[in-house]
Amino acid sequence: MRDSTQCVLTPSVSQEGFDPLGVAVHRGSTIVFKDAASYAARGERGHEGYSYGLYGTPTTRTLEAKLTALEQGAWTFLAPSGQAANILAILPFLSAGDHVLMVDSVYPPMRDFAETDLRRLGVEVDYVNPLDPQDVAAKIRPTTRMIWCESPGSTTMEVIDLPQIAQIAHAHGALVGLDNTWATPLNYKPLCHGADIVTEALTKFVSGHSDVLMGSITVVDERLIAPIRSQMGRFGIGVSPDDASLVLRGFETLGLRLRHSERVALEFAHRLGDHPLVDRVLHPALETSPGHGIWQRDFLGSSGVFGVVFNQAASAGVATALDAFSLFAIGASWGGTRSLVAPMPVARHRSVTPWTGPDVVLRLSIGLEDEAELWTDIERFLQALEQQQR
Ligand SMILES: *Cc1c(COP(=O)(O)O)cnc(C)c1O
């Protein structure tokens, strides 16, 4: 064999005895077949087999398998972001003339998707009160194909009665999808409470280091696999094995990181609830948070993200007082090792459950810094807020 050929061919080396704990990064667009017949039959390999890099590598399959087991579903798909996962969980099931219900507390880009793209495609959309299954019963139609949920709701943290909503949906032949990003599959298993599809923004707690974007879609049974897989193929959507490898690495410490953030967040939520400038704290594990009883019934724990509503007078100063934070970083997204704060507007993202009171919820995401130093940082912020009151 000539050198130029030798340069191109990959010699086969033994893998015997090489048994690492980590998962290899398998890069590949082309997958070669041992003969013409297996190439011709590649379509028969199905969703589990390998036929082209876009449809999966051993690296992405490993991440999918981990999620499928934790969500207790039938199959998992990976998407380039949490938002992409949400869209791909909905779009394959809709045609012009169909109807979709969404909880009013949905992740705002989903409302934008519904208002912009679903309406343009001739799909009708209504929003429901996340705390009132009767509102779902009243608004569901024979053409309703999907009820899109998020629990707890984005920013405002309403926990929904998923079993009741699923019962109404299934009686009308509609699917139920749920964005489970806040809880992660460790704290909530929506497929065990009536959802047909669950999505995660792996970008947040699961990857856990604020350095990668990814989303997952897990379906409850086989019948939902083909529509999503074929749509993803037509749209040309897959994820990089390097990114999947980052998520797999972060995943290994999810249990520890989440339990730590849960404990510190809950402690801070209680302390903040007692502060004179605070009107209320939005955290599903607090009795005063909407849907707390359902959280207690259905969830396995809480997460490291919660919201604080300050009283009317203090709220006006929240944005400027943010500069008093030195350890908490100011930024969107959450679930990483660094603690984050972000002021979130709510009123503009509600249409059937108007947000009354100050239109800023301070969202805190608790990371892995020293707990006492984080609290000192929060105290600095509270003092800055107090000084503005004088
Ligand atoms: C962040 C987030 C998403 C989107 O995730 P990206 O990976 O940033 O697209 C979706 N749903 C919820 C609830 C989120 O918090």
Side-chain angles (χ1 to χ4, degrees), residues 86-123:
N86 284 348
I87 305 288
L88 290 161
I90 296 180
L91 216 45
F93 302 101
L94 299 179
S95 305
D98 287 345
H99 178 239
V100 170
L101 290 175
M102 277 192 183
V103 290
D104 208 30
S105 50
V106 74
Y107 180 61
M110 288 306 286
R111 180 184 289 268
D112 194 11
F113 162 69
E115 294 304 313
T116 309
D117 299 290
L118 290 184
R119 290 207 195 277
R120 176 172 48 81
L121 297 170
V123 174

Side-chain angles (χ1 to χ4, degrees), residues 81-83 86 107 150 154 179 181 201 203-204 213-214 334:
S81 69
Q83 174 67 1
N86 284 348
Y107 180 61
E150 188 177 323
S154 262
D179 180 336
T181 298
T203 307
K204 309 285 172 61
L213 286 148
M214 200 174 293
W334 40 267

